[in-house]
Amino acid sequence: MSISKSNEEKMQHLIKQMGRCYLCPFAFHRSNIVPYSGSIDAKVTLVGEGPGKEEDDSGEAFIGPAGRDMTGVMTSYGIKRKDLFICNLLKCRPVLPYALKNNQTPGLAEVQNCFPYLWEQIRIVQPRLVVLVGATAAKWVLNVGSVTMGESAGKKDKLEAFGKNAVDWDCDYTIMWHPAAALHNPNNKKVVNKSMRDTFHRAKSYMKG
Ligand code: URA
């Protein structure tokens, strides 16, 4: 008789694998892996780019300045962090000691190494809606060369490219501006805030029932 693992056990197993992963250089400089925050029973999953400093320090996703802005908007829609599954493409902070910039935009090699962890997370959580936070997450998860923010947001309904190639789970997706875009350039504030409001408004309808 085979005993099937619970989702919690599967997730814990996956987290152990992440902790033993040294496939890319970022792993050698992490303080913590950042597997996810929130709940594995959530109906809505958020996928960001990669952890920042505060996330690396704590092991929690989206708790730094960008995460705080995003949490503020979701809270105003009555959504708590524990109502969502919040994770990233990369499970380690994409920064190297000799880098000129704070966080690097992940490239093909790092994303390829880390993707199986995200796919397995999606298999376990089976979300109804995946929110792709920012152009980098969107471009890799949707398997497209680039994403024009705003234009592509919400245009497709099914997560087909993702589903067919990686995860046999047909769910909707939406692309949201990354909250960090407003921190890097205040001119983006209006569009970023509107995008977050629209997204969390939409997310609410997936959380019922
Ligand atoms: N930016 C991200 O994309 N993810 C985080 O967890 C924090 C900042």
Side-chain angles (χ1 to χ4, degrees):
M1 188 182 79
S2 70
I3 300 172
S4 64
K5 280 191 185 166
S6 70
N7 282 345
E8 185 55 47
E9 283 168 330
K10 285 184 198 161
M11 190 61 80
Q12 288 310 319
H13 179 71
L14 191 61
I15 292 171
K16 275 197 192 126
Q17 286 181 309
M18 290 174 199
R20 289 196 289 258
C21 178
Y22 287 93
L23 285 174
C24 84
F26 301 142
F28 293 88
H29 303 283
R30 67 186 173 215
S31 304
N32 288 291
I33 51 162
V34 182
Y36 74 95
S37 292
S39 163
I40 63 168
D41 297 321
K43 299 194 172 75
V44 177
T45 288
L46 265 55
V47 182
E49 185 172 320
K53 171 144 185 12
E54 290 182 48
E55 289 81 9
D56 176 66
D57 288 342
S58 64
E60 292 289 332
F62 277 104
I63 55 148
R68 286 194 286 275
D69 285 353
M70 191 174 78
T71 304
V73 177
M74 71 173 76
T75 308
S76 70
Y77 283 88
I79 301 172
K80 300 187 181 76
R81 285 171 60 88
K82 68 175 173 60
D83 300 331
L84 304 169
F85 182 84
I86 307 171
C87 68
N88 284 297
L89 272 184
L90 298 193
K91 309 307 181 195
C92 296
R93 184 183 180 204
V95 73
L96 297 173
Y98 47 82
L100 296 174
K101 288 202 312 181
N102 252 349
N103 287 343
Q104 283 176 231
T105 304
L108 177 66
E110 296 96 39
V111 175
Q112 270 180 341
N113 288 334
C114 241
F115 243 165
Y117 299 125
L118 177 65
W119 291 338
E120 185 57 17
Q121 288 183 312
I122 300 282
R123 279 189 204 103
I124 295 170
V125 176
Q126 303 194 346
R128 286 183 182 171
L129 174 71
V130 172
V131 177
L132 302 164
V133 185
T136 303
K139 140 185 151 157
W140 288 109
V141 171
L142 299 177
N143 199 16
V144 292
S146 67
V147 164
T148 308
M149 298 304 294
E151 269 179 35
S152 27
K155 277 216 175 127
K156 286 193 216 161
D157 276 340
K158 297 284 180 192
L159 204 57
E160 279 159 8
F162 191 30
K164 262 189 226 149
N165 300 335
V167 185
D168 192 15
W169 182 251
D170 205 14
C171 64
D172 294 349
Y173 77 86
T174 189
I175 304 172
M176 187 177 89
W177 272 78
H178 199 294
L183 298 172
H184 297 151
N185 181 354
N187 291 335
N188 288 332
K189 217 171 173 149
K190 228 173 166 173
V191 69
V192 171
N193 279 335
K194 179 172 178 341
S195 168
M196 289 199 283
R197 286 198 306 273
D198 290 350
T199 301
F200 289 115
H201 177 72
R202 184 165 179 216
K204 280 217 86 152
S205 63
Y206 287 81
M207 294 169 69
K208 292 182 196 132

